[in-house]
């Protein structure tokens, strides 16, 4: 047998059929579903008189539309069309008999946080969802990627996906991170290095000492943004940390199944002499706390840098930078640390886990946010919220002046009422700074939870290291 | 699904890189439970001002491009969110073919499921087509999927590559799900074997 990457191994274990031209039918172990990208898929099934082939492998949770204010049980907090979408998911989950966490369930939250939390996501699995940040689940050494609604319907009906194999890319982060530098800074720095199309056609495996040193939460943050680098998926080989995280979760294997699973999971790593189509290496020591300044996740700079000028770039990027600086209301040469913000958003499937909230709380403890600032923390799930309350983090947030919300996607994409107004500038822990992403005309700077907390205190983009 | 064989149409130039799916169809319009009707909101924020009036300088608002069926765009088209609402909106507007130096993976796949042909070509070739598209309504391009060629308004013929299976499905208007269900026995056999090996899944 020739040497294989982790991706090759998972691929081979799920290949149900391969045509001569390489078109493959990949078996899907877990299918996660949310309310925005699924209604048309269920409608398609109904119209064709088809069933969900494996409802026991299908898990649904509403997250994108749901209000995160404390009064959300009141139907009036949702717009008519949002309510219709959530109700459609309620009905579809019921009609087709799939696992479901309704808004009223404490386990409800962002689909990519709920999956791992409930033990649905396990090493070596194939995981798909009609959502590009499905890459998050790659942190467990599972092949996880986003799909379109037609593919959602395909997986519902057949439990398989028609795929072409991607190429293998290795992203190695050597050495140790410096203080104040987090998983978010790693993943943003990688995109800054490769560009948003640098991973197109690849599945990335992240490795190296700095990746190994990350917690599972941190690894999820790294894999979450693999898609922002254009990759189909991002993976991290499972290790003891992974197994410890998984063990005992509601849907993790137990007893003899656990032993059998563990034995297989331990084989899930790239062979030493495996072939890589592309390799990127970054030194952890060179990574600084970063922020984005433009309207593409590749527009990344250390917080100590200045706003760049269009002339610093080449090709199509010159016009893109011109456009994005105008949109962002920034002048070249301005120190990033002088940019004043109006709003802080801590949450999303990138940074809405307990560790993220702990990192924010460590900075906010005993401090107050800048007067007049709007600041909200939206935990990634009801269980994250409960744990943060138990650990006393919620009190720190409230004392500092943050709104303490219920779980959902919230201002990550602003499909619910949490939105930026035109020109409003936000320090956000989410994953996309596209034009209008957080509300029409809204200006987004992406960063880590600790950096967002620091910005909340000063009212400007801030180097968190000055507050540690 | 609609078949795609040949297309002769007006091509609209959009020489921007990284046109993301949030730009193609902002989230406001994702609250639908239908696939149709999204065309009026295609490129909503670029196309209309805050009061909902058309911005006259946006390419698809210009008289010569209102009926465009082809889009020529910059690198990394369709990046970002996986929303299939993006190709739905593009198709609903009437655009059946997009030409760009590269496409984001999920968007590229989504196009084929909706009768839209995405064509990736080297930057220099796209530059040439961009120029051709700049000529407006008189400059019609011909796209021939069977022959895998684009013919410019000057009669220059450019070849493009496309995956054989995807091409076949698009030419025939085939439904993927139906095709896969024909392989049910293969999937059943695989599933039985996999669940013996990995009973915890
Ligand atoms: S938190 Fe944001 S990125 Fe994550 S699933 Fe929700 S909308 Fe998508």
């Amino acid at each position: 047998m020739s040497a294989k990457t982790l991706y090759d191994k998972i691929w081979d274990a799920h290949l149900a059929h391969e045509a001569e031209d390489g078109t493959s039918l990949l078996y899907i172990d877990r299918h996660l579903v949310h309310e925005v990208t699924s209604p048309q898929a269920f409608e398609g099934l109904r119209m064709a008189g088809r069933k969900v082939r494996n409802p026991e492998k299908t898990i649904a949770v509403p997250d994108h539309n749901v209000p995160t204010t404390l009064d959300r049980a009141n139907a009036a907090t949702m717009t008519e069309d949002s309510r219709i979408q959530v109700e459609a998911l309620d009905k579809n989950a019921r009609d087709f008999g799939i696992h479901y966490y309704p808004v009223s369930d404490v386990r409800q939250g962002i689909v990519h946080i709920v999956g791992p939390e409930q033990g649905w996501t396990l090493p070596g699995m194939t995981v798909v969802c009609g959502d590009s940040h499905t890459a998050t689940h790659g942190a467990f050494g599972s092949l996880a990627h986003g799909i379109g609604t037609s593919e959602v319907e395909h997986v519902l009906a057949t439990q398989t996906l028609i795929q072409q194999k991607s190429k293998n890319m290795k992203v190695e982060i050597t050495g140790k991170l410096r203080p104040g530098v987090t998983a978010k800074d790693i993943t943003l720095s990688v995109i800054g290095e490769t560009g948003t199309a640098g991973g197109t056609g690849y599945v990335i495996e992240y490795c190296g000492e700095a990746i190994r040193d990350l917690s599972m939460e941190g690894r999820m943050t790294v894999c979450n943004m693999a898609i922002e680098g254009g990759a189909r998926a991002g993976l991290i080989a499972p290790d003891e940390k992974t197994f410890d995280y998984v063990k005992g979760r509601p849907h993790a294997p137990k007893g003899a199944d656990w032993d059998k699973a563990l034995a297989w999971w331990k084989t899930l790593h790239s062979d030493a002499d495996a072939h890589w189509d592309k390799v990127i290496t970054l030194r952890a020591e060179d990574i600084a706390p970063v922020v984005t300044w433009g309207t593409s996740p590749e527009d990344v700079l250390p917080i100590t840098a200045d706003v760049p000028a269009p002339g610093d770039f080449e090709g199509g990027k010159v016009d893109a930078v011109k456009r994005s600086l105008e949109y962002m209301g920034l002048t070249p040469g301005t120190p990033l640390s002088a940019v004043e913000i109006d709003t802080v958003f801590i949450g999303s499937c990138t940074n809405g886990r307990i560790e993220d909230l702990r990192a924010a709380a460590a900075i906010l403890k005993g401090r107050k946010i800048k007067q007049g600032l709007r600041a909200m923390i939206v935990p990634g799930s009801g269980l994250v919220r409960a744990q943060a309350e138990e650990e006393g983090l919620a009190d720190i947030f409230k004392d500092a002046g943050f709104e303490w919300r219920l779980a959902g996607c919230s201002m990550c994409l602003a499909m619910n009422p949490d939105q930026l107004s035109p020109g409003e500038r936000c320090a956000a822990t989410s994953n996309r700074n596209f034009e209008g992403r957080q509300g029409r005309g809204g200006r987004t700077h992406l960063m880590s939870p600790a950096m967002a907390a620091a910005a909340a205190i000063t009212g400007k983009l801030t180097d968190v290291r000055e507050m540690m | 699904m609609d078949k795609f064989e040949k297309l002769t149409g007006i091509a609209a130039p959009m020489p921007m890189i990284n046109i993301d799916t949030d730009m193609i169809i902002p989230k406001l319009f994702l609250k639908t439970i239908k696939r149709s009707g999204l065309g009026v909101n295609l490129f909503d924020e670029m196309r209309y001002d805050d009061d909902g009036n058309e911005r006259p300088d946006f390419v698809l608002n210009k008289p010569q491009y209102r009926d465009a069926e082809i889009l020529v765009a910059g690198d990394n088209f369709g990046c970002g969110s996986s929303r299939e609402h993006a190709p739905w909106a593009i198709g609903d507007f009437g655009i059946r073919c997009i030409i760009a130096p590269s496409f984001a993976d999920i968007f590229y796949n989504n196009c084929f499921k909706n009768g839209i042909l995405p064509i990736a070509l080297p930057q220099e070739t796209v530059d040439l087509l961009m120029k051709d598209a700049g000529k407006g309504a008189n400059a019609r391009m011909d796209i021939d999927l069977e022959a895998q060629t684009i013919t410019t308004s000057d009669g220059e013929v450019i070849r493009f590559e496309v995956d054989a299976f995807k091409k076949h499905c698009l030419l025939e208007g085939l439904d993927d799900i139906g095709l896969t269900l024909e392989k049910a026995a293969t999937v059943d056999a695989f599933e039985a074997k996999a669940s013996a090996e990995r009973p915890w899944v």
Side-chain angles (χ1 to χ4, degrees), chain A residues 30 52 58 60 127 197-198 202 228 237 250 266 269 289 298 312 323 334 348 357 363 370 407:
Chain A
R30 292 286 181 265
V52 175
T58 313
V127 181
Y202 294 93
E228 258 62 63
K266 288 186 171 167
H269 49 77
E298 71 191 16
D312 302 341
R323 183 184 165 96
T334 312
S348 89
L357 302 195
I363 301 297
K370 175 105 193 284

Side-chain angles (χ1 to χ4, degrees), chain A residues 38-57:
Chain A
S38 66
Q40 294 86 352
F42 285 109
E43 181 199 52
L45 288 187
R46 281 202 184 86
M47 275 164 38
R50 289 170 178 149
K51 293 187 304 208
V52 175
R53 187 180 193 277
N54 296 78
E56 76 287 359
K57 292 177 178 170

Side-chain angles (χ1 to χ4, degrees), chain A residues 13 27 40 50 53-54 82 85 131 148-150 153-154 164 196 232 260 413 415 432 436-437 440, chain B residues 18 27 30-32 34-35 48 50 76 80-82 84 105 110 163 177 180 188 190-191 196 198:
Chain A
Y27 189 83
Q40 294 86 352
R50 289 170 178 149
R53 187 180 193 277
N54 296 78
S82 290
Q85 229 173 27
D131 188 282
T149 299
S150 296
E153 187 178 339
H154 191 277
Q164 288 278 350
T196 49
R232 175 163 297 171
K260 197 166 177 183
L413 94 164
M415 265 188 91
R432 289 195 172 129
R437 170 74 178 184
R440 193 176 172 116
Chain B
N18 296 333
K27 70 236 150 202
L30 307 188
K31 295 192 185 189
T32 172
K34 302 204 201 80
R35 290 173 202 247
Y48 306 105
D50 292 343
N76 199 26
S81 148
S82 64
E84 199 159 319
D105 192 43
N110 281 342
D163 172 73
I177 298 179
T180 300
D188 287 346
F190 175 86
E191 192 173 57
R198 298 190 294 276

Side-chain angles (χ1 to χ4, degrees), chain A residues 7-266:
Chain A
Y7 169 51
D8 296 337
K9 290 181 185 180
I10 302 174
W11 175 273
D12 290 351
H14 292 85
L15 191 59
H17 181 262
E18 186 173 5
E20 267 166 40
D21 65 358
T23 303
S24 303
L25 211 50
L26 207 62
Y27 189 83
I28 302 303
D29 292 328
R30 292 286 181 265
H31 185 191
L32 309 174
V33 175
H34 66 81
E35 79 277 21
V36 179
T37 55
S38 66
Q40 294 86 352
F42 285 109
E43 181 199 52
L45 288 187
R46 281 202 184 86
M47 275 164 38
R50 289 170 178 149
K51 293 187 304 208
V52 175
R53 187 180 193 277
N54 296 78
E56 76 287 359
K57 292 177 178 170
T58 313
I59 299 101
V61 58
D63 54 5
H64 283 61
N65 271 294
V66 297
T68 57
T69 42
L70 301 180
D71 60 350
R72 77 175 175 196
N74 175 358
T77 56
M78 253 196 256
T79 58
E80 167 91 0
D81 42 8
S82 290
R83 198 169 42 73
I84 290 173
Q85 229 173 27
V86 172
E87 283 172 4
L89 188 64
D90 288 345
K91 177 170 164 37
N92 288 328
R94 219 174 328 124
D95 288 0
F96 290 94
I98 63 189
H99 300 279
Y100 189 51
Y101 303 102
V103 179
S104 56
D105 192 311
V106 67
R107 296 166 298 178
Q108 178 271 344
I110 304 169
V111 63
H112 308 308
I113 293 193
V114 173
E117 209 166 63
Q118 294 300 317
W120 290 114
T121 309
L122 299 171
M125 281 186 161
T126 45
V127 181
V128 296
C129 174
D131 188 282
S132 54
H133 292 97
T134 311
T136 312
H137 308 263
F140 291 79
S142 61
L143 175 59
H145 56 85
I147 55 179
T149 299
S150 296
E151 291 175 316
V152 169
E153 187 178 339
H154 191 277
V155 176
L156 288 171
T158 70
Q159 204 59 29
T160 63
L161 201 56
I162 299 173
Q163 288 278 288
Q164 288 278 350
K165 198 170 175 205
S166 303
K167 288 179 285 185
N168 281 291
M169 173 164 164
K170 174 158 96 168
V171 173
E172 187 175 6
I173 316 290
T174 62
K176 294 215 176 287
L177 291 175
R178 293 186 188 277
V181 182
T182 67
K184 185 63 164 289
D185 301 298
I186 295 182
T187 203
L188 282 171
S189 298
V190 170
I191 299 159
E193 183 77 21
T194 61
T196 49
T200 304
Y202 294 93
V203 164
I204 295 177
E205 181 174 340
Y206 299 95
C207 61
E209 186 183 354
I211 299 290
R212 292 259 77 84
D213 282 351
L214 292 175
S215 65
M216 286 312 294
E217 284 85 353
R219 292 178 190 183
M220 283 188 252
T221 301
V222 169
C223 290
N224 173 276
M225 291 193 71
I227 182 72
E228 258 62 63
R232 175 163 297 171
L235 293 168
I236 294 173
D239 60 11
E240 290 303 325
K241 270 186 204 165
T242 321
F243 310 143
D244 286 348
Y245 180 99
V246 165
K247 196 163 188 179
R249 300 217 168 239
H251 297 280
K254 314 225 157 35
D257 273 351
W258 172 264
D259 298 335
K260 197 166 177 183
L262 195 62
W264 187 56
W265 294 346
K266 288 186 171 167

Side-chain angles (χ1 to χ4, degrees), chain A residues 417-433:
Chain A
D418 308 336
Q419 303 185 3
L420 296 182
S421 316
E424 190 175 346
R425 189 182 300 281
C426 180
T429 66
S430 45
N431 44 50
R432 289 195 172 129
N433 51 352

